[in-house]
Amino acid sequence: MTRERLYLLDTTLRDGAQTAGIDFSVEEKIVISELLERLGVDYVEGGYPGANPTDTAFFAEKRTQSATFTAFGMTKRAGRSAANDPGLQLVLGSKADAVCLVAKAWDYHVKVALGCSNEDNLMSIRESVEAVRASGRESMIDCEHFFDGYKANPEYALACARTACEAGARWVVLCDTNGGTLPSEIREIVAKVREVVPGENLGIHAHDDTGHAVANTLAAVDAGVRQIQGTLNGIGERCGNANLITLVPTLMLKAPYSETFELGVTADALAEITAISRAFDEIINRSPDRHAPYVGANAFATKAGIHASAILKEPETYEHVPPESVGNRRRVLVSDQAGKSNLLGELQRLGMSVDKADPRLDALLSDVKEREAQGYAYEAADASFELLARRRLGEVPKYFDVKSFRVMVERRHNALGELVTVSEAVVKIDVDGDARMSVAEGNGPVNALDNALRKDLGRFQDRIDEMELIDFKVRILNGGTGAVTRVLIESQNRRTHKRWFTIGVSSNIVDASFQALLDSHTYTLLKSAG
């Protein structure tokens, strides 16, 4: 059976740039464009040339090799020609292959935002599409607030879509701009639009304000649209956009979509989607969502012992798709619910071959359960678990020995008369039989301890310099100022960008932090030795 083609337009660099706290540079946009082409999207919407210096510079050159390089803009203003509209002309003067213009499709917005008549707005849509086509580019219209507009005035919303199509727009994109429409409404309204615009010319642009952006996109595909717009990891204004990292695997691996449609994404590219998702998070300096569908670190994680035993025998029992198909991996978590199946599966993943009759396995299981009773949580701290396991099996060298540490926090006025808080740490260690003492200041006690610990590690210095701490989380386990505290530290290798988590537990928050720090330093040295 011949499958129908679905087209993907990524708007990470345009609509995704509306995300609070995100501000792409030209260089970052170039790198992200390369990620998108690696995935295999059909269109890369790179921004709005003329709206800001970054987007104007980005569109000074064609930035894609295979994907259609797409510029965003607005339809011409009412009362002037397309040739005399400076905003539209800046977009048409860019190096884009295609142009996507936003048009009002809700008569309320035409009156309030544009201040023109409904007929003038239709004329702007028509003449803008014609101007894009006359420039030799593919034309698209984003019908802004289409679904809210349809609910308020269905005849006018349909007229906007029909006008764009009759003017020659390749794609007429129906936008749920406020993100408040539900899947059943999407399906019903798209069916009505198909009476005036062929499905092969329709697209969907969904926002996630009700948590339905992916579901709404799939509902629109069910109803007949053939272009999907979304962003990497679902970033976007307010609650975000439809997440292409979730949609692509669903469309390629889940019936009936996998049997009915095909994308420009290959199976090999799909197997890189986890790496692409995490690389994007690195670029925007955001920790990956461990619970993200398909690509999260916990997407194929199993904790309960009976589930783990079954999954190791037959993965399909608790996995909806093979994790390898999306570049992820199976994780059997180690916790106080663990049995030998969990441990054996996790040790195998770590490259440690242990016979299930080995008495050290029972001792390790006992260690895990005892320590988790104290507050440790090894399913969230892979690196600390690996160190615990390798120590029990005698596979962790003694790189250095911490004899003592001390931290002082002083609040005082500096030379400028400003009130400041200064942390100073002293760490005494033994490296290869040589006693060393390091003193360092830091932005807080944990930072001071990290600086002091890594200040002089002798022959290990170059290897430890590759490691940096990137996140620090504290959880109080049983309340009160004297409570047991759990600290989780996320670290990464500056060169490889590999991340890992370590854990410490103590009634003293500094002691718990130092435990996690020690594990992170030791893990760095263990992995760099390989």
Side-chain angles (χ1 to χ4, degrees), residues 98-170:
V99 173
C100 182
L101 300 176
V102 63
K104 301 295 184 185
W106 186 357
D107 59 350
Y108 171 68
H109 277 258
V110 172
K111 176 183 177 181
V112 173
L114 298 182
C116 68
S117 69
N118 288 351
E119 291 71 22
D120 283 342
N121 182 53
L122 293 177
M123 182 181 298
S124 291
I125 293 173
R126 180 182 305 106
E127 292 183 2
S128 298
V129 170
E130 291 171 349
V132 173
R133 294 189 66 208
S135 73
R137 294 177 172 89
E138 185 174 329
S139 176
M140 308 180 214
I141 287 290
D142 273 0
C143 292
E144 187 184 36
H145 294 286
F146 181 84
F147 293 95
D148 291 314
Y150 182 91
K151 295 172 193 177
N153 186 340
E155 291 79 13
Y156 186 69
L158 290 174
C160 292
R162 180 172 54 243
T163 297
C165 183
E166 290 176 349
R170 169 65 182 92

Side-chain angles (χ1 to χ4, degrees), residues 300-319 323-324 329-334 338-350 354 356 361:
F300 298 94
T302 302
K303 182 172 181 177
I306 56 172
H307 291 187
S309 179
I311 207 169
L312 290 172
K313 294 175 183 175
E314 201 65 48
E316 291 82 0
T317 52
Y318 287 97
E319 291 176 352
E324 298 82 7
R329 64 174 177 84
R330 182 176 303 115
R331 295 176 65 234
V332 179
L333 300 179
V334 179
K340 282 190 178 181
S341 296
N342 297 62
L343 284 177
L344 286 169
E346 190 66 2
L347 292 173
Q348 183 179 17
R349 182 186 67 79
L350 296 173
V354 183
K356 65 181 180 180
L361 192 62

Side-chain angles (χ1 to χ4, degrees), residues 81 117 193 313 378 426:
S81 68
S117 69
V193 180
K313 294 175 183 175
Y378 285 111
V426 179

